[in-house]
Amino acid sequence: MKRREKPAETTPELDKDRRDDDSLWKDIVERFFYPMLKRAIPTLYADAETKTLPRFLDKELKKATYRLRGGKRSVDLLAEVPLKDGSSEWVLLHIEIQGRGGGRLPFRMAYYRALIFAMYKREAAALAIVTEKRSKDEPKFYESELYNTSVVYRYNRLVVQELDEGELLASDNPFDLALCAAQRALKSRRDERQKHA
């Protein structure tokens, strides 16, 4: 039996860095959930009942996906967001934090959408927070076509390096300050690499 090589992007050091970065971002998103929503999906923020804390469901989903995926990585965050109006009690929001590596983001977003739908029997809004530089060739949505059967899955994207630093610094939103710090860390890491090139 041929042994599969581990891709270069998933060395133990990068895996550890990714886990640490993911944990930090998850903590920031949970602490500043509504400020994050205001920045990333303003339309959902406008409809959300911000006086009520969201309920995080990712631990429940992780138990289910752990068995399906053989113990591998699962959805980053899944939140039940309460809404102001009486038309709907809540909306599910799937948040994926994408740093270095991590494979094909659009495919993973579509995969988790299917898992969430299967488990909760409802659609979820989705957000990818892209904290590291990604390939320019990576699509911004998932698309599949097979024998005239097609699927297109679009989701919200918040790309740290594309944000305006001046706007982030001028903001009174605490999540914007975290985004600004992440953006500066990206720039300084790139500068360090250039110094040693």
Side-chain angles (χ1 to χ4, degrees):
M1 185 166 108
K2 191 175 177 185
R3 192 172 154 237
R4 274 181 41 187
E5 295 289 324
K6 213 175 196 189
E9 69 177 6
T10 58
T11 62
E13 295 82 18
L14 281 179
D15 277 348
K16 182 181 182 306
D17 288 348
R18 190 178 311 131
R19 280 192 304 271
D20 291 347
D21 287 351
D22 281 1
S23 296
L24 176 63
W25 276 106
K26 285 178 201 176
D27 185 51
I28 290 169
V29 167
E30 285 181 3
R31 283 179 193 232
F32 301 107
F33 185 81
Y34 288 118
M36 176 280 302
L37 210 53
K38 186 175 185 179
R39 163 57 66 182
I41 313 176
T43 51
L44 178 53
Y45 174 78
D47 289 343
E49 178 48 75
T50 57
K51 293 176 185 161
T52 305
L53 292 174
R55 189 165 71 105
F56 292 97
L57 304 168
D58 41 289
K59 287 178 181 60
E60 297 169 22
L61 190 61
K62 277 181 184 170
K63 287 177 189 171
T65 58
Y66 189 86
R67 288 188 296 274
L68 284 172
R69 298 199 55 171
K72 293 181 184 170
R73 190 171 184 269
S74 182
V75 65
D76 281 339
L77 285 166
L78 182 64
E80 187 178 274
V81 184
L83 300 180
K84 288 177 192 169
D85 67 12
S87 65
S88 180
E89 289 179 22
W90 48 269
V91 65
L92 286 174
L93 174 62
H94 161 218
I95 302 170
E96 194 67 18
I97 294 150
Q98 181 59 63
R100 285 177 274 178
R104 299 172 299 157
L105 177 61
F107 176 84
R108 211 166 60 250
M109 294 296 287
Y111 177 81
Y112 290 137
R113 180 228 156 253
L115 287 178
I116 291 164
F117 185 80
M119 186 164 178
Y120 292 96
K121 306 295 185 276
R122 34 186 332 165
E123 292 291 351
L127 167 66
I129 300 176
V130 181
T131 62
E132 295 277 348
K133 190 173 181 179
R134 303 289 296 167
S135 164
K136 289 179 183 175
D137 298 334
E138 183 175 75
K140 292 181 172 39
F141 57 90
Y142 175 80
E143 186 171 22
S144 170
E145 197 279 331
L146 183 66
Y147 296 105
N148 298 318
T149 303
S150 61
V151 173
V152 176
Y153 181 56
R154 298 182 193 281
Y155 47 88
N156 297 283
R157 289 169 45 96
L158 182 65
V159 182
V160 170
Q161 72 179 26
E162 293 176 2
L163 299 171
D164 180 88
E165 184 179 341
E167 182 189 339
L168 294 174
L169 283 172
S171 172
D172 62 354
N173 182 333
F175 189 73
D176 284 352
L177 293 178
L179 292 170
C180 187
Q183 192 178 70
R184 286 187 172 186
L186 269 175
K187 287 178 186 171
S188 67
R189 209 166 38 235
R190 199 165 39 242
D191 291 344
E192 283 300 313
R193 283 194 295 260
Q194 286 171 355
K195 280 183 198 172
H196 299 292

